[in-house]
Amino acid sequence: MRTRARARSALPAGERGGAGAGSTGGPGPRKISARLTRGDRLYHATATAGAGATLALIVLIGLFLLIKALPALREAGWSFLTTKEWSPDAERPRFGVAAMMAGTLVSAVVAMAVTFPVSVSTAVFINEYAPRRLRRPLTSLIDLMAAIPSLIFAMWGLFVLVPFLVPLEQWAVDRFGGALPFMRATAIGASLGNAGLVISLMTIPIATSIIREVLAQVPRHECEGALALGATRWGMIRTVVLPFGRGGIIGGSMLGLGRALGETLAATLILSLTFEIKPRVLENGGITVASALAVQFKDAQTMGLSALMAAGLALFVVTFAINFLAAIVVSRSRSGAGVEA
């Protein structure tokens, strides 16, 4: 008995029997504590510092724009959001972002109307239809296109794409302009529609790269199971692949939209810059916030610089709001949620 008692007392507290161990007299629950290694602690600290620095940088940018924009916002008041004219350095300043924001949104909508179907279709083709020996070259080509400077796309659009599209656009205006008001135009070529098409060339590679990467993570056994149950390849893509990659599709599209909202060179080179709201996407004229900043910044005086900062602040707020809403949508439609059992 004494030997058994001494052996019992030598056991850790969590493994001793008795009243604390339960009614069966067996060992009690053992505490498990995770000890982080030096590498784990270093990674945790680095990731936390990076996230904090990113958040701090965003806040600092917003504060900088707000401080610089305050004189213009006090001068213009709420009319800053509804005024189309832009003469901040005149004797009687009158300026606003209505025309610039309208042009930015129109060109971005045109760009995303092309980007979304092309990006999703290209990603599905590479992952599901392309021969295996072509998948890696096509993936590398898409990633390479995403790295091409925007100036190259803008110049190619100005000298190649727009001249090619002008006869087609003239035919569309003559054929459908009477029935569709947004298709009417007195002059074509340097329009928000063409600027949006050129911008889509820059957003398609980015969105396609992200969407393809997400769709490549679809569990193949689920795809094979759908095919084994008699589904066609398109039926498998529609019921398994696309629902699984819903979050990535939305995220890639929103990243492309962010690129479209802030694109400068394409809008500056393509558009015939006028501070007017142009709902007719094929008619010459229009302006975006980014192109206005690029063109007006050099000659702006004190109030003009403050007004440009205010325009940049408006674009910053819109972009931030869109990305915030996109993050909410992505979190509610995470990849794989639509195909879970």
Side-chain angles (χ1 to χ4, degrees):
M1 292 294 292
R2 292 179 181 176
T3 304
R4 182 178 300 175
R6 283 196 296 268
R8 181 183 180 82
S9 63
L11 291 173
E15 297 184 6
R16 298 174 189 171
S23 59
T24 59
R30 177 182 298 175
K31 283 188 176 182
I32 300 177
S33 59
R35 299 181 60 184
L36 298 178
T37 65
R38 180 179 300 177
D40 292 333
R41 291 193 295 269
L42 178 61
Y43 175 78
H44 183 270
T46 303
T48 303
T54 302
L55 181 60
L57 184 61
I58 293 174
V59 173
L60 290 175
I61 292 174
L63 287 176
F64 168 78
L65 292 174
L66 179 60
I67 293 172
K68 293 295 185 180
L70 281 178
L73 294 177
R74 291 195 187 101
E75 176 69 28
W78 289 106
S79 64
F80 180 75
L81 300 176
T82 58
T83 302
K84 296 183 296 182
E85 293 83 3
W86 189 262
S87 54
D89 293 320
E91 293 184 3
R92 300 183 62 183
R94 181 172 175 78
F95 54 91
V97 293
M100 291 188 285
M101 291 303 301
T104 300
L105 294 178
V106 169
S107 61
V109 168
V110 172
M112 293 311 300
V114 178
T115 298
F116 182 78
V118 173
S119 298
V120 175
S121 302
T122 304
V124 170
F125 172 79
I126 293 175
N127 285 344
E128 303 296 336
Y129 289 101
R132 188 176 298 274
R133 65 180 180 275
L134 293 181
R135 292 179 185 175
R136 187 178 296 275
L138 289 175
T139 301
S140 301
L141 180 62
I142 293 296
D143 295 338
L144 179 63
M145 290 180 63
I148 295 177
S150 58
L151 176 62
I152 304 302
F153 284 111
M155 293 178 64
W156 184 85
L158 176 64
F159 294 110
V160 178
L161 182 61
V162 172
F164 173 78
L165 291 176
V166 166
L168 301 177
E169 292 174 352
Q170 187 62 57
W171 174 85
V173 169
D174 295 338
R175 183 69 180 269
F176 304 107
L180 302 175
F182 67 92
M183 294 288 290
R184 298 172 186 170
T186 56
I188 59 176
S191 63
L192 288 169
N194 286 337
L197 290 176
V198 175
I199 292 173
S200 70
L201 300 177
M202 310 175 197
T203 58
I204 287 174
I206 297 174
T208 302
S209 180
I210 295 175
I211 294 172
R212 190 212 63 80
E213 186 66 28
V214 172
L215 297 185
Q217 307 303 318
V218 178
R220 300 314 302 177
H221 66 274
E222 296 188 5
C223 299
E224 295 168 0
L227 294 174
L229 290 175
T232 61
R233 181 171 291 275
W234 167 241
M236 177 269 292
I237 293 171
R238 182 172 54 85
T239 57
V240 178
V241 175
L242 295 181
F244 181 92
R246 185 182 296 118
I249 293 172
I250 297 173
S253 300
M254 290 301 102
L255 185 61
L257 177 59
R259 173 72 181 273
L261 289 172
E263 179 52 42
T264 304
L265 288 174
T268 304
L269 294 180
I270 302 292
L271 281 174
S272 175
L273 300 179
T274 56
F275 287 92
E276 300 176 12
I277 296 177
K278 294 284 188 177
R280 302 174 181 177
V281 295
L282 296 182
E283 186 173 3
N284 282 357
I287 196 165
T288 66
V289 175
S291 61
L293 290 173
V295 172
Q296 298 288 327
F297 188 82
K298 183 178 180 181
D299 298 326
Q301 301 176 15
T302 303
M303 184 56 68
L305 286 175
S306 181
L308 290 175
M309 292 296 178
L313 178 63
L315 181 61
F316 177 83
V317 171
V318 170
T319 305
F320 185 82
I322 290 176
N323 289 333
F324 181 75
L325 293 176
I328 295 176
V329 173
V330 170
S331 64
R332 293 184 178 181
S333 58
R334 57 189 175 85
S335 295
V339 294
E340 291 177 349

